[in-house]
């Protein structure tokens, strides 16, 4: 009987609304599933952006230099970058243009870092 009471109390405490680093242990399987799905969606989106950057690199660099253009807009669309963030981020991309001109992976990361 004591074991049953202990198990019940342990589960009841685990369901509290108090902050902790683990969260509700009863929701851990659902959280893991949600995290896995989120990671898969991000990985798919990043893959599309990577292919786009590698296929359109010269045009992307030209758009960044100009402060925008169709190719950069398409890259932002693929990455799901929110519209209000695009112009300030383009200015940031311009400031690091030398890096992105020579390092395609860095450009992919720079685009994905502001994705939604």
């Amino acid at each position: 009987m004591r074991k049953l009471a202990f198990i019940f109390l342990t589960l009841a405490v685990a369901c509290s609304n108090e902050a902790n680093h683990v969260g509700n242990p009863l929701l851990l399987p659902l959280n893991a599933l949600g995290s896995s799905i989120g990671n898969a969606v991000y990985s798919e989106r990043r893959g599309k952006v990577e292919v786009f950057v590698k296929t359109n690199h010269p045009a992307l660099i030209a758009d960044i230099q100009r402060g925008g253009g169709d190719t950069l807009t398409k890259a932002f669309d693929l990455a799901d970058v929110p519209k209000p963030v695009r112009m300030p981020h383009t200015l940031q991309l311009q400031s690091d243009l030398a890096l992105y001109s020579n390092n395609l992976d860095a450009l992919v990361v720079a685009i994905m870092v502001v994705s939604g």
Side-chain angles (χ1 to χ4, degrees), residues 1-81:
M1 185 67 173
R2 284 187 190 192
K3 277 186 176 181
L4 186 59
F6 176 75
I7 291 171
F8 176 76
L9 287 174
T10 303
L11 289 175
V13 170
C15 295
S16 82
N17 292 330
E18 296 297 316
N20 63 60
H21 70 283
V22 176
N24 185 338
L26 299 176
L27 296 178
L28 285 177
L30 292 175
N31 292 341
L33 178 62
S35 181
S36 296
I37 291 170
N39 288 342
V41 168
Y42 176 84
S43 293
E44 181 182 346
R45 188 172 55 211
R46 181 188 164 94
K48 289 178 182 178
V49 171
E50 187 172 350
V51 168
F52 187 81
V53 166
K54 289 181 177 180
T55 351
N56 299 285
H57 186 254
L60 273 170
I61 295 301
D63 277 2
I64 292 169
Q65 285 174 325
R66 281 191 298 270
D70 292 340
T71 309
L72 184 58
T73 298
K74 177 69 174 170
F76 282 154
D77 288 344
L78 286 172
D80 195 26
V81 175

Side-chain angles (χ1 to χ4, degrees), residues 85-105:
V85 174
R86 292 179 182 195
M87 192 47 156
H89 192 59
T90 300
L91 294 172
Q92 180 64 44
L93 292 172
Q94 286 176 331
S95 70
D96 296 323
L97 194 58
L99 170 66
Y100 305 132
S101 294
N102 299 316
N103 190 333
L104 281 70
D105 290 330

